Amino acid sequence: GNSVTQMEGPVTLSEEAFLTINCTYTATGYPSLFWYVQYPGEGLQLLLKATKADDKGSNKGFEATYRKETTSFHLEKGSVQVSDSAVYFCALSDQWGSQGNLIFGKGTKLSVKP
Amino acid sequence: DTEVTQTPKHLVMGMTNKKSLKCEQHMGHRAMYWYKQKAKKPPELMFVYSYEKLSINESVPSRFSPECPNSSLLNLHLHALQPEDSALYLCASSQDGSGQETQYFGPGTRLLVL
C-alpha cells in the first residue's frame, strides 16, 4: 500500500541554519507529493507541491524536488527563521487511490532558536 | 482565494450535549472532508463528501454525523461524545475528490469533551 516516511523529530536549529527534512514514499502509481505546515494552534497550510517526476515545488524559501528514482521529496530551506517553527507533514495523493486518499507522514517538528 | 473557514474555533461540551461544527468554502470545490487530529499526530480521515454525497466513512462512530447541505457547506453533528473524542477537527476541500488533488484545509475546531 501507499505510505510516507518522514525523518523523526524534533529538529532544533539556530536562525539562518540550513534545513533538510527527509521524506520518502511508497506508491503504486504516480502520486502527487505535498508538504503541509502546521503552526502552533493552527490548521494545515499547503506549503508546496509537485505533481510529476523532477518537478520542483517552492514557496516562502522552501523547496522540494520530486525524485522518482529515489522515491523522495525532501524539504529544504537555505536559511531558517524563528517564524518557521512548526510541524511539517509530507503527504502523497495517488491517482489509483480512493477519494480522500491523502496519505500523511508522521510529521516533523521544527524549532528554530534565535 | 484558497480559504476554508471553520466555526467555532474552540468548543467545550459535556458528554450529553449536542453540538455542530461548521465548515465553508467558496472555491467551487465539489469534494469536502472531515479529519480528526490528535496531539502530535497527523490528521486521520473521517468522512468524504463528493458532489454533496457521502462517499467515504472511515468506520467513524455514529455519535459523529456529517451533513453536506450544499456544495459550499459541510457540518459535523456531535452527540454523546466521549472524552477521547477531544481533538482538533479539520475540514478540507478539493476540486472533485479524484486522485492527485490538492486538499485545502481550514484552521480547525479544537474540541474538548468533559
Side-chain angles (χ1 to χ4, degrees), chain B residues 17-65:
Chain B
N17 291 158
K18 286 185 181 180
K19 297 287 185 183
S20 296
L21 310 185
K22 296 185 185 303
C23 173
E24 190 167 6
Q25 58 88 12
H26 294 289
M27 294 179 276
H29 289 170
R30 303 310 298 270
M32 296 186 76
Y33 309 78
W34 281 115
Y35 288 85
K36 175 182 178 180
Q37 186 182 25
K38 300 287 274 185
K40 300 185 179 180
K41 298 287 187 184
E44 297 175 7
L45 183 66
M46 300 174 72
F47 302 104
V48 181
Y49 272 84
S50 180
Y51 293 89
E52 294 102 72
K53 286 186 168 46
L54 183 65
S55 59
I56 292 181
N57 175 342
E58 291 286 355
S59 303
V60 179
S62 60
R63 58 186 183 267
F64 295 91
S65 175

Side-chain angles (χ1 to χ4, degrees), chain A residues 29-44:
Chain A
Y30 300 94
S32 291
L33 301 173
F34 307 88
W35 277 101
Y36 285 89
V37 58
Q38 187 170 33
Y39 298 103
E42 298 187 10
L44 270 67

Side-chain angles (χ1 to χ4, degrees), chain A residues 8-97:
Chain A
E8 295 287 330
V11 174
T12 302
L13 296 174
S14 297
E15 208 164 21
E16 299 184 2
F18 185 85
L19 169 70
T20 300
I21 300 178
N22 290 336
C23 172
T24 57
Y25 68 90
T26 302
T28 52
Y30 300 94
S32 291
L33 301 173
F34 307 88
W35 277 101
Y36 285 89
V37 58
Q38 187 170 33
Y39 298 103
E42 298 187 10
L44 270 67
Q45 297 179 25
L46 177 67
L47 182 58
L48 53 83
K49 68 178 183 180
T51 58
K52 61 183 187 294
D54 299 325
D55 268 1
K56 177 186 281 188
S58 61
N59 186 24
K60 299 181 182 179
F62 290 90
E63 292 184 342
T65 301
Y66 189 142
R67 301 285 189 199
K68 187 164 169 55
E69 63 276 12
T70 54
T71 61
S72 64
F73 193 54
H74 304 321
L75 183 68
E76 296 182 335
K77 187 175 185 183
S79 176
V80 293
Q81 305 300 311
V82 173
S83 56
D84 294 325
S85 297
V87 179
Y88 292 81
F89 291 97
C90 185
L92 72 81
S93 179
D94 192 330
Q95 67 193 99
W96 302 115

Side-chain angles (χ1 to χ4, degrees), chain B residues 2-106:
Chain B
T2 56
E3 188 177 26
V4 176
T5 59
Q6 290 187 244
T7 56
K9 192 171 174 63
H10 300 276
L11 179 62
V12 180
M13 60 186 292
M15 289 188 283
T16 58
N17 291 158
K18 286 185 181 180
K19 297 287 185 183
S20 296
L21 310 185
K22 296 185 185 303
C23 173
E24 190 167 6
Q25 58 88 12
H26 294 289
M27 294 179 276
H29 289 170
R30 303 310 298 270
M32 296 186 76
Y33 309 78
W34 281 115
Y35 288 85
K36 175 182 178 180
Q37 186 182 25
K38 300 287 274 185
K40 300 185 179 180
K41 298 287 187 184
E44 297 175 7
L45 183 66
M46 300 174 72
F47 302 104
V48 181
Y49 272 84
S50 180
Y51 293 89
E52 294 102 72
K53 286 186 168 46
L54 183 65
S55 59
I56 292 181
N57 175 342
E58 291 286 355
S59 303
V60 179
S62 60
R63 58 186 183 267
F64 295 91
S65 175
E67 178 195 20
C68 190
N70 59 56
S71 60
S72 299
L73 292 174
L74 185 66
N75 298 321
L76 186 63
H77 303 298
L78 314 173
H79 174 55
L81 294 193
Q82 304 297 309
E84 60 264 29
D85 296 322
S86 299
L88 181 67
Y89 288 84
L90 294 164
C91 174
S93 71
S94 69
Q95 196 67 40
D96 59 16
S98 58
Q100 299 185 298
E101 291 187 329
T102 300
Q103 292 187 25
Y104 296 93
F105 286 80

